[in-house]
Amino acid sequence: MVYFTKETTDFLKKLSENNNTIWFNTNKQLFEECVKTPFHNFVEDIIHELDKSENSLMASAKYCIFRLNRDVRFSEDKSPYKTFVSALISPFGRQNRAYPGLYIQISAEEVRLYSGSHNLTPAQLKAVRQKIYDEPKRFKKIISDKNFVKVFGELIGERNKKIPNPFSELTDQIPQIANKEFYYLTKMPSRMILQDEFKETILDKYSACGELNTFLREGLE
């Protein structure tokens, strides 16, 4: 099923060139028809598929899709709109970025698929590190899995220079235990959204991080 058209990326490209409320309000109907509605439909169908495959009830599209408006309160860039649409699909939607879910972002240039744990509290970070410390062999096996490496490459995230014992004992063997966050991503050209199998492609790529997501969720729980 094709959700998007060339007008989807055309609009996002023009928005990046005309990032102001006057232009957006003039073209709001086009946004609704070519970007907002098809993206909502796409996210709803992804949710439906993940409800079955992950054995958890995903949040509704309303709670997964991020607003297009930017928060400019603390930013030097006062552009009012993001130049992409995005959603975090999980049982908690966009409100919980520590719980690993499927984050998708579509811009005029590319599609980004992320997963993993962001914005962890100190207690959550300690819990994930404890999980890695308790099961280092399992963790190393998961992050070196051939399919995971093929799709996502590696687990990434900013690291602490020093971490407390006993976790510091593993930093040479498993440097990722020093991460402040644990995430992974893959990128595709934006023309992918025009393909009949775009949804299936996203779900297939997302499945490559299934074991790592399970590991992180076990730690968080």
Side-chain angles (χ1 to χ4, degrees):
M1 177 179 177
V2 176
Y3 296 86
F4 306 98
T5 65
K6 188 176 182 298
E7 283 72 24
T8 305
T9 50
D10 285 348
F11 179 92
L12 293 171
K13 184 175 187 299
K14 290 175 183 176
L15 176 59
S16 67
E17 298 166 350
N18 302 275
N19 201 327
N20 61 79
T21 54
I22 295 175
W23 184 89
F24 184 82
N25 288 336
T26 301
N27 295 275
K28 191 171 183 179
Q29 184 63 34
L30 188 61
F31 168 71
E32 296 278 345
E33 294 175 359
C34 298
V35 182
K36 184 177 180 179
T37 297
F39 186 64
H40 183 276
N41 293 340
F42 173 76
V43 169
E44 279 197 327
D45 284 355
I46 292 286
I47 288 170
H48 178 70
E49 295 297 330
L50 293 185
D51 276 339
K52 296 183 293 184
S53 64
E54 300 212 343
N55 298 315
S56 297
L57 185 64
M58 301 294 115
S60 68
K62 175 183 177 181
Y63 296 105
C64 293
I65 297 174
F66 289 89
R67 296 180 62 197
L68 190 70
N69 298 73
R70 295 180 63 247
D71 184 353
V72 299
R73 290 174 299 171
F74 309 108
S75 174
E76 293 184 6
D77 180 5
K78 299 302 181 183
S79 303
Y81 305 107
K82 301 169 187 172
T83 56
F84 55 84
V85 287
S86 57
L88 175 55
I89 302 169
S90 81
F92 308 99
R94 63 180 183 271
Q95 298 301 321
N96 187 341
R97 303 184 192 186
Y99 186 90
L102 188 162
Y103 174 87
I104 186 164
Q105 177 177 304
I106 298 174
S107 70
E109 294 78 28
E110 63 185 8
V111 177
R112 292 189 174 200
L113 171 63
Y114 288 83
S115 193
S117 294
H118 295 259
N119 296 358
L120 291 91
T121 65
Q124 289 173 326
L125 179 57
K126 182 180 180 181
V128 172
R129 285 176 174 167
Q130 186 66 54
K131 181 70 174 177
I132 297 171
Y133 183 82
D134 290 342
E135 300 187 60
K137 290 182 179 179
R138 178 186 170 199
F139 180 74
K140 288 181 70 175
K141 181 179 179 181
I142 289 172
I143 63 173
S144 60
D145 174 78
K146 182 171 64 174
N147 198 28
F148 175 79
V149 172
K150 178 181 177 182
V151 175
F152 293 101
E154 60 182 347
L155 188 155
I156 54 182
E158 187 178 353
R159 291 176 185 167
N160 288 114
K161 292 182 179 179
K162 293 183 179 181
I163 59 174
N165 288 326
F167 310 127
S168 59
E169 299 170 7
L170 283 183
T171 51
D172 289 339
Q173 178 186 353
I174 305 177
Q176 296 87 351
I177 200 170
N179 279 29
K180 300 178 185 179
E181 53 191 359
F182 306 84
Y183 69 95
Y184 15 98
L185 76 151
T186 186
K187 302 176 184 178
M188 294 158 273
S190 60
R191 64 176 180 273
M192 290 290 295
I193 69 172
L194 304 179
Q195 296 186 355
D196 289 343
E197 64 274 14
F198 177 57
K199 182 187 72 175
E200 287 70 26
T201 298
I202 293 299
L203 290 169
D204 181 61
K205 289 182 178 295
Y206 178 64
S207 69
C209 64
E211 288 191 42
L212 184 49
N213 281 355
T214 296
F215 185 93
L216 292 174
R217 289 168 189 165
E218 289 173 0
L220 291 169
E221 292 168 359

